[in-house]
Amino acid sequence: MNTRHSPTLTLPVKTAIVTGSSRGIGRAIAIRLAMDGFKIAVNYTSNEAQAQEVATIIRNTGGHAVVIQADVSRPDDVQHLFAATQEAFGVIGAVVHSAGVMSMATIAPENIALFDQTINTNLRGAFLVLAQAAKYLGEGGRIVAVSTSVIAKPSPGYGAYIASKAGVEGLVRVLAHELRGRNITVNAVAPGPVSTELFLNGKTAEQVEQLAKAAPLERLGQPEDIARVVSFLLGPDSGWVNAQVLRANGGFA
């Protein structure tokens, strides 16, 4: 009979950076984590008005938020994001990396510029954010990166996007091992098709309907569906989940 006691669970400090939180999935994550009691650093790249709107929603429901501009592909910007959050709220307990782009193009020589842009934002950005998270987070810290379930169900035109997100999943698994002994978990959430501006852009109504029917649950995901999963990964019931990719997609792939 095993008489060993379970280890004491250390929860993250209730301060979270959510990159790309001015819209879409990141927005829903920021608002949900604020409901969970986290003070939120709302990050945006170019649309300050949208970011301020998210912060206002959080404050109007009794939460705390600060708005910080940072392009995640720029090292100085990412360093500023973390330093400014620490200055505003003190110790950082969690980082959710949601910022990203999704541009469609075939794997062809003329599309190399789009490939470079996608890798620069999605993969280089993830590297920079995760590296600063590893530097700033302490005991009980939680790191979550947003990937994609399209990795498991590839379609033409998604080459650059899938390549970038496959790299993100690789970084997550490696960082979890690099943080051995520090009691910090590192995981990824991989949404399927989610009804956001980023996903709907450039798609016909017929394409959207087809993708909505692809999952056994026969609907598009909503940003709040993904926010609930991130809430779990930052909460008390996920302390033994580490170096994993949680595919939140309604059975899409």
Side-chain angles (χ1 to χ4, degrees):
M1 179 177 178
N2 187 352
T3 59
R4 293 182 63 188
H5 295 292
S6 297
T8 302
L9 175 65
T10 304
L11 293 173
V13 174
K14 289 280 190 169
T15 296
I17 293 173
V18 183
T19 67
S21 49
S22 64
R23 62 178 184 167
I25 291 174
R27 180 183 190 273
I29 291 170
I31 292 170
R32 173 55 193 260
L33 294 183
M35 292 172 57
D36 292 343
F38 282 86
K39 299 174 183 178
I40 305 296
V42 179
N43 162 248
Y44 73 99
T45 300
S46 59
N47 197 321
E48 182 180 4
Q50 286 184 325
Q52 292 291 355
E53 180 183 335
V54 174
T56 297
I57 291 171
I58 291 171
R59 292 170 187 145
N60 285 346
T61 54
H64 302 271
V66 61
V67 174
I68 304 172
Q69 192 278 335
D71 181 337
V72 297
S73 70
R74 297 177 179 270
D76 290 346
D77 280 21
V78 177
Q79 185 177 12
H80 166 70
L81 172 61
F82 279 77
T85 302
Q86 186 177 65
E87 182 179 353
F89 295 136
V91 178
I92 301 168
V95 175
V96 181
H97 179 51
S98 180
V101 297
M102 184 172 66
S103 301
M104 311 301 295
T106 58
I107 301 171
E110 61 269 21
N111 293 326
I112 187 62
L114 183 142
F115 176 83
D116 287 344
Q117 178 194 23
T118 302
I119 294 297
N120 191 48
T121 299
N122 292 0
L123 184 52
R124 175 184 168 91
F127 182 93
L128 292 171
V129 171
L130 267 57
Q132 288 293 335
K135 176 181 175 181
Y136 274 83
L137 267 58
E139 181 82 4
R142 306 284 174 92
I143 301 171
V144 177
V146 176
S147 179
T148 177
S149 285
V150 177
I151 290 175
K153 197 170 184 177
S155 299
Y158 283 88
Y161 184 66
I162 287 176
S164 68
K165 292 299 189 177
V168 170
E169 292 188 8
L171 291 175
V172 162
R173 293 189 176 97
V174 171
L175 184 59
H177 287 272
E178 291 182 349
L179 296 180
R180 176 184 294 273
R182 290 179 55 186
N183 196 23
I184 298 172
T185 65
V186 190
N187 294 289
V189 174
V194 176
S195 183
T196 64
E197 179 185 344
L198 185 69
F199 169 76
L200 296 174
N201 183 43
K203 293 182 176 65
T204 65
E206 183 180 2
Q207 288 173 321
V208 171
E209 179 67 18
Q210 183 179 13
L211 287 165
K213 294 293 186 182
L217 296 182
E218 294 191 332
R219 68 171 176 87
L220 291 178
Q222 298 299 314
E224 292 75 17
D225 291 321
I226 311 307
R228 283 189 282 269
V229 176
V230 174
S231 174
F232 161 72
L233 289 173
L234 268 60
D237 294 330
S238 66
W240 193 231
V241 180
N242 193 26
Q244 302 303 309
V245 179
L246 205 166
R247 304 206 180 281
N249 57 33
F252 172 76

